[in-house]
Coordinates of all heavy atoms in Angstrom, one line a residue:
E1 N 88.6 -171.3 -147.2 CA 90.0 -171.9 -146.9 C 90.7 -170.9 -145.8 O 91.3 -171.5 -144.9 CB 90.8 -171.9 -148.1 CG 92.1 -172.6 -147.9 CD 92.9 -172.9 -149.1 OE1 92.3 -173.4 -150.1 OE2 94.1 -172.6 -149.3
A2 N 90.6 -169.6 -145.9 CA 91.1 -168.7 -145.1 C 90.7 -169.0 -143.7 O 91.4 -168.9 -142.6 CB 90.9 -167.3 -145.4
F3 N 89.4 -169.3 -143.5 CA 88.8 -169.6 -142.2 C 89.3 -170.8 -141.5 O 89.6 -170.8 -140.4 CB 87.2 -169.6 -142.3 CG 86.5 -169.6 -141.0 CD1 86.5 -168.6 -140.2 CD2 85.8 -170.8 -140.6 CE1 85.8 -168.6 -138.9 CE2 85.1 -170.9 -139.4 CZ 85.1 -169.8 -138.5
Y4 N 89.3 -171.8 -142.4 CA 89.9 -173.1 -142.0 C 91.4 -172.9 -141.6 O 91.8 -173.8 -140.6 CB 89.8 -174.2 -143.2 CG 88.3 -174.5 -143.5 CD1 88.0 -174.8 -144.8 CD2 87.3 -174.8 -142.5 CE1 86.8 -175.0 -145.2 CE2 86.1 -175.1 -143.0 CZ 85.8 -175.3 -144.3 OH 84.5 -175.5 -144.7
N5 N 92.1 -172.1 -142.1 CA 93.5 -171.9 -141.9 C 93.8 -171.0 -140.7 O 95.0 -170.7 -140.5 CB 94.3 -171.4 -143.2 CG 95.6 -171.8 -143.2 OD1 96.0 -172.8 -142.6 ND2 96.5 -171.1 -143.9
T6 N 92.7 -170.5 -140.0 CA 92.8 -169.6 -138.8 C 93.0 -170.4 -137.5 O 92.2 -171.2 -137.3 CB 91.7 -168.6 -138.9 OG1 91.6 -167.9 -140.0 CG2 91.8 -167.8 -137.7
P7 N 93.9 -170.0 -136.7 CA 94.0 -170.7 -135.3 C 92.7 -170.6 -134.6 O 92.0 -169.5 -134.7 CB 95.1 -170.0 -134.6 CG 95.9 -169.3 -135.7 CD 95.0 -169.0 -136.8
P8 N 92.3 -171.6 -133.8 CA 91.1 -171.3 -133.0 C 91.1 -170.4 -131.9 O 90.3 -169.7 -131.6 CB 90.8 -172.9 -132.4 CG 92.2 -173.5 -132.4 CD 92.9 -172.8 -133.6
I9 N 92.4 -170.3 -131.2 CA 92.4 -169.4 -130.1 C 93.2 -168.1 -130.5 O 94.0 -168.1 -131.4 CB 93.2 -170.1 -129.1 CG1 92.6 -171.4 -128.7 CG2 93.4 -169.2 -127.7 CD1 91.1 -171.4 -128.2
G10 N 93.0 -167.0 -129.7 CA 93.7 -165.7 -129.9 C 92.7 -164.8 -130.5 O 91.5 -165.1 -130.9
K11 N 93.1 -163.5 -130.7 CA 92.4 -162.4 -131.2 C 92.0 -162.8 -132.6 O 92.9 -163.1 -133.6 CB 93.2 -161.1 -131.2 CG 92.3 -159.9 -131.6 CD 93.1 -158.7 -131.4 CE 92.4 -157.4 -131.9 NZ 93.2 -156.1 -131.8
R12 N 90.7 -162.6 -133.0 CA 90.2 -163.0 -134.4 C 90.4 -164.6 -134.7 O 90.7 -164.8 -135.9 CB 90.7 -162.1 -135.3 CG 90.2 -160.6 -135.2 CD 91.0 -159.7 -136.0 NE 91.0 -159.8 -137.4 CZ 91.9 -159.4 -138.3 NH1 92.8 -158.5 -137.8 NH2 91.8 -159.6 -139.6
G13 N 90.5 -165.3 -133.7 CA 90.6 -166.7 -133.9 C 89.1 -167.4 -134.3 O 88.2 -166.7 -134.0
T14 N 89.1 -168.5 -134.8 CA 87.9 -169.0 -135.2 C 86.9 -169.1 -134.0 O 85.8 -168.9 -134.1 CB 87.9 -170.5 -135.9 OG1 88.8 -171.3 -134.9 CG2 88.7 -170.3 -137.2
S15 N 87.5 -169.6 -132.8 CA 86.6 -169.7 -131.5 C 85.9 -168.3 -131.2 O 84.8 -168.4 -130.7 CB 87.4 -170.2 -130.4 OG 87.8 -171.6 -130.6
S16 N 86.5 -167.2 -131.4 CA 86.0 -166.0 -131.0 C 84.8 -165.7 -132.0 O 83.7 -165.2 -131.5 CB 87.0 -164.9 -131.1 OG 87.4 -164.7 -132.6
Y17 N 84.9 -166.0 -133.2 CA 83.7 -165.8 -134.2 C 82.5 -166.8 -133.8 O 81.4 -166.4 -133.9 CB 84.2 -165.9 -135.6 CG 85.2 -164.8 -136.0 CD1 86.4 -165.1 -136.2 CD2 84.7 -163.5 -136.3 CE1 87.4 -164.1 -136.6 CE2 85.5 -162.6 -136.6 CZ 86.9 -162.8 -136.8 OH 87.7 -161.8 -137.1
L18 N 82.9 -168.1 -133.6 CA 81.9 -169.0 -133.3 C 81.1 -168.7 -132.0 O 80.0 -168.8 -131.8 CB 82.7 -170.4 -133.0 CG 83.2 -171.1 -134.5 CD1 84.0 -172.2 -134.1 CD2 82.1 -171.4 -135.4
T19 N 81.9 -168.2 -130.9 CA 81.3 -167.8 -129.7 C 80.4 -166.6 -129.9 O 79.4 -166.6 -129.2 CB 82.5 -167.4 -128.5 OG1 83.4 -168.5 -128.4 CG2 81.9 -167.0 -127.3
K20 N 80.8 -165.6 -130.7 CA 79.8 -164.6 -130.9 C 78.6 -165.0 -131.5 O 77.5 -164.5 -131.1 CB 80.5 -163.6 -131.8 CG 79.8 -162.4 -132.2 CD 80.4 -161.4 -133.2 CE 79.7 -160.2 -133.6 NZ 80.3 -159.4 -134.6
G21 N 78.6 -166.0 -132.4 CA 77.3 -166.5 -133.0 C 76.5 -167.3 -132.0 O 75.2 -167.1 -132.0
V22 N 77.1 -168.0 -131.2 CA 76.5 -168.8 -130.2 C 75.7 -167.9 -129.2 O 74.6 -168.1 -128.8 CB 77.4 -169.7 -129.4 CG1 76.7 -170.4 -128.3 CG2 78.0 -170.8 -130.4
M23 N 76.4 -166.9 -128.6 CA 75.8 -165.9 -127.7 C 74.7 -165.2 -128.4 O 73.7 -165.0 -127.8 CB 76.9 -165.0 -127.2 CG 77.9 -165.5 -126.2 SD 77.2 -166.1 -124.8 CE 76.3 -164.8 -124.1
A24 N 74.8 -164.8 -129.7 CA 73.7 -164.1 -130.2 C 72.5 -165.0 -130.3 O 71.4 -164.5 -130.1 CB 74.1 -163.7 -131.6
Q25 N 72.6 -166.2 -130.6 CA 71.4 -167.1 -130.7 C 70.9 -167.4 -129.2 O 69.7 -167.4 -129.0 CB 71.7 -168.4 -131.3 CG 70.5 -169.3 -131.5 CD 70.7 -170.5 -132.3 OE1 71.7 -170.6 -133.1 NE2 69.9 -171.6 -132.2
L26 N 71.8 -167.5 -128.3 CA 71.2 -167.8 -126.9 C 70.5 -166.7 -126.4 O 69.5 -166.8 -125.7 CB 72.5 -168.1 -126.0 CG 73.0 -169.5 -125.9 CD1 74.3 -169.6 -125.2 CD2 72.0 -170.4 -125.2
L27 N 70.9 -165.4 -126.6 CA 70.3 -164.2 -126.1 C 69.0 -164.0 -126.8 O 68.1 -163.1 -126.3 CB 71.2 -163.0 -126.3 CG 72.4 -163.0 -125.4 CD1 73.4 -161.9 -125.8 CD2 72.1 -163.0 -123.9
Q28 N 68.6 -164.7 -127.8 CA 67.2 -164.6 -128.4 C 66.2 -165.4 -127.7 O 65.0 -165.3 -127.8 CB 67.4 -165.0 -129.9 CG 68.1 -164.1 -130.8 CD 68.3 -164.7 -132.2 OE1 67.8 -165.8 -132.5 NE2 69.1 -164.0 -133.0
G29 N 66.8 -166.3 -126.9 CA 65.8 -167.3 -126.1 C 65.5 -166.7 -124.7 O 65.7 -165.5 -124.4
D30 N 64.9 -167.5 -123.9 CA 64.5 -167.1 -122.6 C 65.7 -167.2 -121.6 O 66.6 -168.0 -121.7 CB 63.4 -168.1 -122.0 CG 62.0 -168.0 -122.9 OD1 61.8 -166.8 -123.4 OD2 61.4 -168.9 -122.9
I31 N 65.7 -166.2 -120.7 CA 66.7 -166.2 -119.6 C 66.1 -166.7 -118.3 O 65.2 -166.1 -117.8 CB 67.3 -164.8 -119.4 CG1 67.9 -164.3 -120.8 CG2 68.3 -164.8 -118.4 CD1 68.5 -162.9 -120.7
K32 N 66.6 -167.8 -117.8 CA 66.1 -168.3 -116.5 C 66.5 -167.4 -115.4 O 67.6 -167.0 -115.3 CB 66.5 -169.7 -116.4 CG 66.1 -170.7 -117.4 CD 66.6 -172.1 -117.2 CE 68.2 -172.1 -117.2 NZ 68.7 -173.5 -117.2
P33 N 65.6 -167.2 -114.5 CA 65.9 -166.6 -113.2 C 67.0 -167.3 -112.4 O 66.9 -168.4 -112.3 CB 64.7 -166.4 -112.4 CG 63.8 -167.4 -112.9 CD 64.2 -167.7 -114.4
C34 N 67.9 -166.6 -111.9 CA 68.9 -167.2 -111.0 C 68.9 -166.6 -109.6 O 68.8 -165.4 -109.4 CB 70.4 -167.0 -111.7 SG 71.8 -167.7 -110.7
K35 N 69.0 -167.4 -108.6 CA 68.8 -166.9 -107.2 C 69.9 -165.9 -106.8 O 69.8 -165.1 -106.0 CB 68.8 -168.0 -106.2 CG 70.0 -168.9 -106.2 CD 70.0 -170.1 -105.1 CE 71.2 -170.9 -105.0 NZ 71.1 -171.9 -104.0

């Protein structure tokens, strides 16, 4: 409930925690070379 009641934007907002998890999973995969 406390998580659902937290604003998405701002310091310690839900989006910051979701973004952290997304980046962690992405960095476990392959990184494509960029010109």
Side-chain angles (χ1 to χ4, degrees):
E1 184 171 317
F3 188 70
Y4 296 137
N5 206 26
T6 300
I9 306 301
K11 187 178 180 180
R12 291 165 59 195
T14 54
S15 290
S16 65
Y17 293 105
L18 294 170
T19 301
K20 182 180 175 183
V22 171
M23 284 303 302
Q25 184 171 341
L26 273 170
L27 291 172
Q28 291 174 5
D30 296 330
I31 299 180
K32 296 180 294 186
C34 176
K35 65 178 181 179

